[in-house]
Amino acid sequence: METPKNTAQYLSEAIVTEIVARLPLRSISRFKSVCRTWKSALESAYFRRLFVSLHQNTSSSWSLLAGTEEFISMHGCETWDLPKSIASYFRGILTRKNLYHVASSSGLILMESSDDATYVGNPVLQQWLRIPDPPHPTVTVVLGLVTSLDEDGVVLSFKVVKMAALVPTRDKSSTCMFLWVYSSETGIWTRKRLYCPICFTSFRNTISLNGTFYVSQTCLDGLATQPGTLMAHDFYSESDLWRVIPFPDHNLNHNMNFKRALTKSRGYVMYIKTLAQEGDNLLKVWRLSNDSGDECWKLLWEIRLPFDNIRNYAPMAMHPLEHNIVYLWSEENHYMISCNLQTQNYKILRDDDHQDCLINKSRCDKYMDEALKSSSVQEYGVLVNLDQFVLPKWMKSLPRPPQVEMLDTASLISYVSSLPKEHEDYEEEEEDVEEEWEEEWKE
């Protein structure tokens, strides 16, 4: 019996789809240019879910970043098969001295130029957007970038958040933060006011995860008696409150004997501590979860480290895709160590260990030395926070806001090359803006 032509064609297309779905994304992107039929099939929800299901246990590319510096890069991994490090896809822009890296989220990065212009981009796909300035002539500080994802981890939209003013109440019992929030869905800025039930005058260590910012609060008086807190807010919610989450394991006897880091791993905020306690060199790892409906820290690991003096070791980050891998920095020996918490195996990471792994020892040494020495003696523990740039299992085209032109890397470089190299002085204008927002807050 002869097979109907349309049936044979369907079987042929199904076989091709099954084969192509097992290839890296870099190869799949080339096939989109074969014909319209292939492009439509490879961009379909069915193909995307098939690809994600087939690659759910494979590795993905990621980097640890601080500003324009890339400390460690895992590239050439199975999902993407990138021939070079992730930062190399946008380092050419940063070397123009007019742009600097601010934050990243779900494979997108946020950058600002010397004239305070803001850009959001997908460096691997080489797609960029210039975000318009807020409508009010306000001096702002970029807080970061948040993204909304679907069930497959595909970016649906993003928001850029900038802070205009930070105003404590007169009795120092609480704080109000005034923000501008830009949405890729609407293409407009909206004004947002967030209340915090504690008083703080500065913050640091912003982490973006699942549409939520996690910000480390700096104590008002800087005293070591304060454990510090993590403040969280979901920018895709209607709430106008910061959630306050105290750090775990507050003990005044730990002062000067421990170092700590905030990081992410497998979709969770993680908190790491190295400390000397009762004669032991300890490493503790907590995961922030809301299993009971309230956010709380769950202790996952508490192990003894076979090191002579734990004071010489600082936690840097966790592996973003493996919850049992922690990276430490040796102040004394100036190298990075990879620790498998499950097997308790330790490995010194070197530049030539693997062709798809890049370790920039000199940049790690410089950054960690400055971070650890700049910490005040009165501060409650050194707190390290490096930006994790992780490529997702699937990458869709950059969400495009209404009436915003998409740029490629070449046109972006051409534009920023023409910008002035120095920031303008906005001090007087900033004071006027803060006074305006403070009056509104008091009312």
Side-chain angles (χ1 to χ4, degrees), residues 106-136:
S106 307
L108 306 183
I109 67 170
L110 173 67
M111 296 193 294
E112 273 213 319
S113 68
S114 57
D115 67 345
D116 293 331
T118 304
Y119 300 88
V120 173
N122 183 322
V124 178
L125 298 183
Q126 300 184 3
Q127 298 173 340
W128 301 92
L129 297 168
R130 187 195 187 284
I131 306 302
D133 297 330
H136 194 279

Side-chain angles (χ1 to χ4, degrees), residues 366-396:
K366 181 180 178 181
Y367 173 84
M368 293 301 294
D369 183 62
E370 291 177 355
L372 298 174
K373 287 184 177 180
S374 64
S375 179
S376 169
V377 175
Q378 290 186 323
E379 188 178 359
Y380 182 77
V382 176
L383 188 58
V384 178
N385 178 218
L386 297 172
D387 188 23
Q388 294 171 313
F389 187 94
V390 184
L391 290 181
K393 294 292 186 180
W394 180 268
M395 188 168 287
K396 193 178 178 181

Side-chain angles (χ1 to χ4, degrees), residues 163-168 175-178 200-203 242 434 437:
M163 186 185 73
L166 186 65
V167 184
T175 310
C176 187
M177 184 182 289
F178 295 93
F200 64 99
T201 56
S202 60
F203 57 89
W242 284 104
E434 288 186 354
W437 287 68

Side-chain angles (χ1 to χ4, degrees), residues 48 53 132 137 147 203 214 221 242 245 247 259 270 301 314:
R48 180 187 74 201
S53 66
T147 49
F203 57 89
Y214 296 89
D221 54 11
W242 284 104
I245 311 164
F247 284 118
K259 297 178 177 67
M270 312 294 288
W301 304 94

Side-chain angles (χ1 to χ4, degrees), residues 19-151:
I19 294 173
V20 174
R22 286 166 168 77
L23 299 176
L25 279 171
R26 193 162 66 97
S27 300
I28 293 173
S29 64
R30 298 193 189 105
F31 295 143
K32 292 182 181 182
S33 60
V34 172
C35 62
R36 292 182 180 179
T37 302
W38 278 42
K39 185 176 187 297
S40 176
L42 297 179
E43 291 180 349
S44 66
Y46 169 77
F47 182 84
R48 180 187 74 201
R49 288 167 184 163
L50 175 63
F51 178 90
V52 171
S53 66
L54 292 173
H55 291 259
Q56 60 183 346
N57 295 322
T58 60
S59 57
S60 187
S61 300
W62 60 274
S63 290
L64 284 181
L65 302 168
T68 61
E69 306 294 344
E70 185 177 41
F71 294 164
I72 179 172
S73 173
M74 300 295 293
H75 54 281
C77 301
E78 296 175 44
T79 304
W80 279 91
D81 188 29
L82 295 180
K84 52 187 179 180
S85 72
I86 297 175
S88 64
Y89 289 89
F90 56 89
R91 186 176 292 124
I93 304 171
L94 296 173
T95 55
R96 302 288 168 161
K97 308 298 183 185
N98 298 101
L99 265 148
Y100 58 94
H101 167 264
V102 179
S104 68
S105 179
S106 307
L108 306 183
I109 67 170
L110 173 67
M111 296 193 294
E112 273 213 319
S113 68
S114 57
D115 67 345
D116 293 331
T118 304
Y119 300 88
V120 173
N122 183 322
V124 178
L125 298 183
Q126 300 184 3
Q127 298 173 340
W128 301 92
L129 297 168
R130 187 195 187 284
I131 306 302
D133 297 330
H136 194 279
T138 307
V139 177
T140 57
V141 176
V142 176
L143 209 58
L145 177 73
V146 292
T147 49
S148 172
L149 311 177
D150 68 6
E151 64 274 13

Side-chain angles (χ1 to χ4, degrees), residues 77-265:
C77 301
E78 296 175 44
T79 304
W80 279 91
D81 188 29
L82 295 180
K84 52 187 179 180
S85 72
I86 297 175
S88 64
Y89 289 89
F90 56 89
R91 186 176 292 124
I93 304 171
L94 296 173
T95 55
R96 302 288 168 161
K97 308 298 183 185
N98 298 101
L99 265 148
Y100 58 94
H101 167 264
V102 179
S104 68
S105 179
S106 307
L108 306 183
I109 67 170
L110 173 67
M111 296 193 294
E112 273 213 319
S113 68
S114 57
D115 67 345
D116 293 331
T118 304
Y119 300 88
V120 173
N122 183 322
V124 178
L125 298 183
Q126 300 184 3
Q127 298 173 340
W128 301 92
L129 297 168
R130 187 195 187 284
I131 306 302
D133 297 330
H136 194 279
T138 307
V139 177
T140 57
V141 176
V142 176
L143 209 58
L145 177 73
V146 292
T147 49
S148 172
L149 311 177
D150 68 6
E151 64 274 13
D152 297 321
V154 176
V155 176
L156 298 175
S157 66
F158 65 83
K159 292 186 178 184
V160 177
V161 184
K162 294 189 174 186
M163 186 185 73
L166 186 65
V167 184
T169 54
R170 289 181 176 178
D171 61 358
K172 308 298 182 185
S173 62
S174 60
T175 310
C176 187
M177 184 182 289
F178 295 93
L179 306 168
W180 285 106
V181 181
Y182 179 85
S183 170
S184 66
E185 296 177 303
T186 63
I188 62 174
W189 290 92
T190 57
R191 211 172 183 184
K192 191 175 182 69
R193 178 167 54 186
L194 289 182
Y195 302 94
C196 185
I198 61 174
C199 187
F200 64 99
T201 56
S202 60
F203 57 89
R204 59 186 174 186
N205 305 96
T206 302
I207 290 179
S208 173
L209 184 63
N210 301 327
T212 299
F213 272 150
Y214 296 89
V215 179
S216 173
Q217 164 254 347
T218 303
C219 297
L220 183 64
D221 54 11
L223 295 177
T225 55
Q226 303 295 324
T229 57
L230 192 64
M231 301 181 299
H233 180 75
D234 181 358
F235 279 87
Y236 283 89
S237 72
E238 298 298 326
S239 172
D240 62 354
L241 295 173
W242 284 104
R243 306 191 302 275
V244 177
I245 311 164
F247 284 118
D249 202 35
H250 175 51
N251 189 325
L252 293 180
N253 295 327
H254 294 171
N255 287 334
M256 305 302 295
N257 292 327
F258 77 94
K259 297 178 177 67
R260 54 190 180 147
L262 272 174
T263 184
K264 297 181 291 187
S265 182

